[in-house]
Amino acid sequence: MKKTISYFLGFMFLFFVIPVVCSIPQNTKSENEQTTEVSATEQQNVSEDKPEQEQVKKYDYEKYKTIRLLHTESNQVEELGIDEYLYGVVSSEMPASYEIEALKAQAVVARTYTIYQAIHSSGKHENADICDSFACCQAWISKEERLSKWKPEEAENNWNKIVNAVDTTSGKIITYNKEPINAFFHSNSGGVTESSLNIWGGIDYPYLKSVETAGEDGYSQYNSEVKLSKQELLNKIKTKYPDCEIDYSQENCIQILENTTSGRIKTIKFGNKEIAGTEARTLLGLKSTNFSFAINGEEITFSVKGYGHGVGMSQTGADSLAKSGSNYEEIIKHFYTNVEIIEVNSL
């Protein structure tokens, strides 16, 4: 009898209990794996009690997931996720001490510039979309090198701040007529930016117009000075124009012939040579074309305002606006005329 009951119980377990247990859905994914599948829209609705950085979901770029970066020193091309690449750009181009909204603006500007280059500069760097030289494209630095240059006690917080600026604006780019703009930027405008029409061969980008910005005079980049002897000045001009002669006994031996609408030097005469203000800046080692000069005995002093070509977003201007309460979108629309900020996937 006991044997019969045992057989009966075994039969019931085998054919009824086991199938029921096996039919229960199993959730083998970790909590982290499930979280990454939340849609971009849903992710934005996460409780506001969490810090902003924790609410960020990495944007899923469709066309521009990776960037081919040319390292100019090694001549090697590295493929990076675009936002990973932007961590290195923003941390290299703008001080981490700047306001977070200024850093966000820099992230969107740098992303836009990168995508513009990827679209319009094919073949410029052969197998690369962009290079790491600030003189050619935009500066870039690796995380390891960047951390090593900051004070140890500030490094981690600085890096997290940069990552936050990039991640919270992930996917955002600046457009004009539904096309990415050529998003130029510079260090300090000296209070007023320059129109693209006045430099680089007179290319008139409709979104790169001259605008004024308050507060830039509080930054070290606002003023600079270069002093040269009369002979040093002549020698610098002769590196490009060997037949240049300057008769310093003449009242107008150096003469500003034309200014741009922003007050920068458009054309200047050194003795028998008339040259563009942009060329004078390069030859004389000045920080911008917004300069004046004074001849005192054997010395010539160039007083310079601002730092950089002056076109597009001023970085110190962005920080000044952020300190006054502007968010990154307001900062961008201040420096770029009639633009829109959109998701890159909507292109």
Side-chain angles (χ1 to χ4, degrees):
M1 184 65 178
K2 289 183 179 179
K3 195 171 186 179
T4 303
I5 292 173
S6 297
Y7 284 147
F8 177 78
L9 292 175
F11 176 85
M12 293 293 289
F13 183 82
L14 179 64
F15 289 97
F16 291 96
V17 177
I18 291 177
V20 171
V21 172
C22 292
S23 68
I24 297 174
Q26 300 297 306
N27 189 349
T28 58
K29 288 187 177 182
S30 69
E31 182 180 351
N32 183 59
E33 290 173 322
Q34 293 175 61
T35 302
T36 59
E37 293 183 349
V38 178
S39 70
T41 303
E42 292 170 331
Q43 188 74 6
Q44 292 172 0
N45 296 326
V46 176
S47 169
E48 294 182 359
D49 292 336
K50 290 187 177 182
E52 185 177 21
Q53 192 171 4
E54 292 182 20
Q55 298 182 32
V56 175
K57 178 180 183 295
K58 291 296 291 179
Y59 196 82
D60 183 20
Y61 297 100
E62 293 176 358
K63 291 180 64 177
Y64 305 103
K65 291 182 179 180
T66 58
I67 289 296
R68 295 167 298 170
L69 173 64
L70 172 65
H71 297 290
T72 50
E73 285 192 5
S74 64
N75 203 35
Q76 298 296 308
V77 175
E78 180 182 9
E79 193 169 280
L80 295 169
I82 187 169
D83 281 353
E84 180 186 358
Y85 160 70
L86 290 173
Y87 300 154
V89 173
V90 177
S91 65
S92 183
E93 290 282 9
M94 181 175 275
S97 60
Y98 279 17
E99 296 291 317
I100 186 62
E101 292 300 318
L103 289 163
K104 288 179 183 179
Q106 180 68 63
V108 177
V109 167
R111 183 181 295 108
T112 305
Y113 181 84
T114 301
I115 291 175
Y116 183 93
Q117 294 301 311
I119 294 171
H120 295 280
S121 299
S122 58
K124 179 180 179 181
H125 294 301
E126 296 185 7
N127 297 322
D129 298 308
I130 201 165
C131 77
D132 60 6
S133 168
F134 74 92
C136 179
C137 294
Q138 55 188 358
W140 179 89
I141 191 170
S142 69
K143 179 181 179 180
E144 293 74 20
E145 187 176 357
R146 177 68 275 180
L147 290 173
S148 71
K149 292 179 181 294
W150 281 320
K151 295 178 180 178
E153 64 272 18
E154 298 176 353
E156 184 177 356
N157 286 338
N158 283 350
W159 184 256
N160 289 340
K161 189 176 178 182
I162 298 296
V163 170
N164 186 22
V166 174
D167 286 358
T168 54
T169 60
S170 190
K172 300 288 187 181
I173 62 167
I174 312 163
T175 61
Y176 181 88
N177 284 344
K178 299 182 180 180
E179 295 290 334
I181 70 169
N182 202 358
F184 290 106
F185 57 93
H186 59 281
S187 180
N188 186 299
S189 75
V192 57
T193 67
E194 181 64 281
S195 169
S196 66
L197 183 62
N198 294 318
I199 62 173
W200 303 322
I203 302 174
D204 188 12
Y205 293 101
Y207 45 83
L208 293 177
K209 300 299 184 183
S210 178
V211 299
E212 295 183 2
T213 306
E216 291 195 82
D217 54 348
Y219 295 81
S220 61
Q221 299 93 327
Y222 185 78
N223 286 314
S224 60
E225 192 175 79
V226 172
K227 292 184 178 183
L228 299 170
S229 70
K230 290 178 177 178
Q231 189 59 50
E232 286 174 333
L233 172 62
L234 180 60
N235 291 343
K236 286 179 179 293
I237 302 299
K238 280 180 172 288
T239 59
K240 181 68 180 290
Y241 301 99
D243 60 338
C244 178
E245 297 295 337
I246 303 175
D247 183 355
Y248 288 110
S249 66
Q250 298 295 316
E251 183 179 356
N252 292 326
C253 56
I254 302 174
Q255 184 179 7
I256 296 171
L257 301 178
E258 186 180 5
N259 293 88
T260 69
T261 53
S262 70
R264 291 169 170 81
I265 308 301
K266 189 169 187 178
T267 312
I268 186 170
K269 181 173 72 72
F270 292 97
N272 60 339
K273 290 297 175 183
E274 294 182 12
I275 66 176
T278 51
E279 190 170 32
R281 176 197 171 193
T282 300
L283 292 174
L284 302 181
L286 308 179
K287 289 186 176 180
S288 87
T289 57
N290 191 351
F291 64 85
S292 59
F293 68 90
I295 303 175
N296 300 300
E298 290 299 308
E299 188 175 70
I300 304 168
T301 301
F302 292 88
S303 300
V304 187
K305 188 184 292 185
Y307 194 168
H309 49 62
V311 178
M313 186 183 78
S314 162
Q315 294 171 316
T316 54
D319 192 48
S320 177
L321 286 171
K323 287 177 178 177
S324 299
S326 297
N327 63 35
Y328 78 91
E329 292 188 345
E330 292 168 333
I331 292 169
I332 288 168
K333 290 182 178 182
H334 174 83
F335 288 107
Y336 303 100
T337 304
N338 296 327
V339 297
E340 296 297 330
I341 300 169
I342 66 168
E343 303 284 0
V344 65
N345 282 352
S346 66
L347 285 178

